[in-house]
Amino acid sequence: MQLQLISFVLIILHCMDYTGCQQHSSSRHRQHKQISGVRSGCQQGGCLTCSDYNGCLSCKPRFFMHLERIGMKQIGVCMTSCPAGFYDTRSPERNTCTKCRSECDSCFNRNFCTRCRPGFYLHLGKCLESCPDGLVHSDTQRECVQRCPAECESCVNSETCTQCRPGLYQLSGRCHHVCPEDYEPNDQLMECTPQVHCEVGEWSEWSPCSRSGRTCGFKRGQETRTRQVLQYPSPFGQPCPEISEIKECLVKRRKCPGGRRKNERRERRNRNNRKDKENQEGRREKKRERERERERHSGEREDSDNRNKTEHRHRRGHDTEPVSPEDSLVQ
């Protein structure tokens, strides 16, 4: 039993080396039935036939047979596409995943790599340890690239920069200290961007002649017209011209509607103001009169007090006069 299983695995490996597949295809189909444990209707979706020990033995159409090594054992897996490091090989009998060359990380076929392993650099489908003359290796891309100009931080070739050194501005794959004419520096993108100039529309019609917002009651006034900004300029673009104009105008003087009523309201307002002033003056005069009256009464009261004080002193003086010796003898 084990000998039959080992021979079957060897046949599969033999087919993956591109030889003997057609010779053993018919015999392999016969051995499927002879080996115990081989069955159809496997649980894995892509398997056509499988084994409990070896996994998938054959795949359904459009699936690729891939051998995964687990220790000393290889398990067959049916996949819709081959994993990294393998490329797909199609044949009428079998679709298989074949390992890329040792220096390739991924490949299109055995002789054409699409990405190299670390330490190798891709050039024309080959993974090289050193790049040809005129090229330098890129560790990030793992490729041989053109030597960049001095002002480039990175480039796709010797004439096209993808990133400039600090302080320089990129334009069409070249790096500039000063942007060319009709371009301006963009410090955020570090690129030379086209200048945008201001654009304005057509002038409007002249407005009616007016003065202080009125269109009547004057002889000299002003007319105005405007235009809209269609495109505002970039920081270094041409600024916008004037978008409004004013000119003097002459009209035949005409009275404004409701002028007599305005005059009457003005006269009534003046009369009211005069009356208010007169009333205020009368109130002030009355106030002054009251103050003078209070001052007069206050003065009269003070005079009366002074007289009373004087009479009191005189009376007190008579009551305390000394008695002479003669008057005492007479008594």
Side-chain angles (χ1 to χ4, degrees), residues 33-306:
K33 297 181 181 180
Q34 297 174 359
I35 300 175
S36 61
V38 176
R39 65 184 186 278
S40 59
C42 305
Q43 293 182 357
Q44 185 181 350
C47 286
L48 182 61
T49 58
C50 59
S51 167
D52 294 335
Y53 184 80
N54 295 100
C56 295
L57 301 178
S58 63
C59 299
K60 295 179 181 179
R62 300 182 182 179
F63 282 81
F64 296 90
M65 171 64 73
H66 174 61
L67 292 179
E68 292 184 353
R69 183 177 293 277
I70 302 177
M72 297 298 294
K73 182 173 67 172
Q74 286 184 326
I75 300 297
V77 180
C78 293
M79 313 178 71
T80 55
S81 60
C82 294
F86 292 80
Y87 64 93
D88 57 79
T89 303
R90 299 175 184 270
S91 67
E93 293 80 14
R94 167 190 290 272
N95 298 332
T96 58
C97 292
T98 306
K99 189 173 180 61
C100 299
R101 300 174 69 93
S102 59
E103 65 272 16
C104 293
D105 199 16
S106 61
C107 60
F108 180 74
N109 56 41
R110 185 172 180 81
N111 298 317
F112 195 95
C113 295
T114 56
R115 182 172 175 80
C116 298
R117 296 189 181 279
F120 292 86
Y121 304 98
L122 184 66
H123 178 63
L124 300 179
K126 304 290 185 181
C127 290
L128 308 176
E129 291 185 288
S130 60
C131 294
D133 293 339
L135 301 179
V136 294
H137 65 265
S138 170
D139 290 327
T140 56
Q141 301 176 12
R142 300 181 192 172
E143 295 180 5
C144 294
V145 297
Q146 296 284 343
R147 190 181 301 275
C148 294
E151 64 273 12
C152 291
E153 190 76 20
S154 60
C155 62
V156 294
N157 52 48
S158 59
E159 297 180 354
T160 306
C161 296
T162 56
Q163 184 178 356
C164 298
R165 295 191 181 278
L168 302 182
Y169 301 94
Q170 182 184 350
L171 175 63
S172 301
R174 295 184 178 274
C175 298
H176 300 266
H177 291 274
V178 179
C179 291
E181 188 178 1
D182 296 331
Y183 289 87
E184 62 185 52
N186 186 320
D187 292 330
Q188 292 183 345
L189 302 176
M190 294 307 295
E191 296 178 355
C192 293
T193 56
Q195 290 183 353
V196 179
H197 305 300
C198 180
E199 297 181 10
V200 295
E202 298 293 332
W203 285 107
S204 65
E205 298 293 334
W206 287 102
S207 67
C209 191
S210 63
R211 181 176 178 179
S212 300
R214 296 182 293 112
T215 58
C216 59
F218 62 89
K219 186 176 181 180
R220 294 180 178 274
Q222 293 179 335
E223 294 179 353
T224 60
R225 67 174 184 175
T226 60
R227 54 184 174 181
Q228 293 183 343
V229 177
L230 303 179
Q231 175 65 62
Y232 287 93
S234 60
F236 292 87
Q238 294 179 0
C240 293
E242 294 293 335
I243 58 175
S244 64
E245 286 185 348
I246 300 176
K247 69 176 182 178
E248 302 293 328
C249 56
L250 292 174
V251 294
K252 185 177 180 180
R253 185 189 298 273
R254 61 186 180 87
K255 294 182 179 180
C256 295
R260 182 178 299 176
R261 294 180 181 177
K262 291 183 179 179
N263 293 334
E264 291 177 355
R265 287 196 296 270
R266 188 181 303 110
E267 292 177 0
R268 191 182 307 113
R269 196 162 49 246
N270 292 336
R271 287 196 300 270
N272 293 334
N273 292 337
R274 286 195 296 270
K275 288 181 181 180
D276 292 339
K277 290 181 180 179
E278 291 174 358
N279 294 335
Q280 292 177 1
E281 187 64 29
R283 286 193 293 272
R284 284 196 292 270
E285 184 62 30
K286 289 180 180 180
K287 184 177 180 180
R288 287 194 294 269
E289 184 65 28
R290 286 194 299 270
E291 290 176 354
R292 286 195 295 269
E293 187 69 22
R294 282 196 297 271
E295 290 175 357
R296 187 168 56 252
H297 288 308
S298 176
E300 290 176 356
R301 190 179 300 110
E302 290 178 359
D303 293 340
S304 177
D305 293 340
N306 292 334

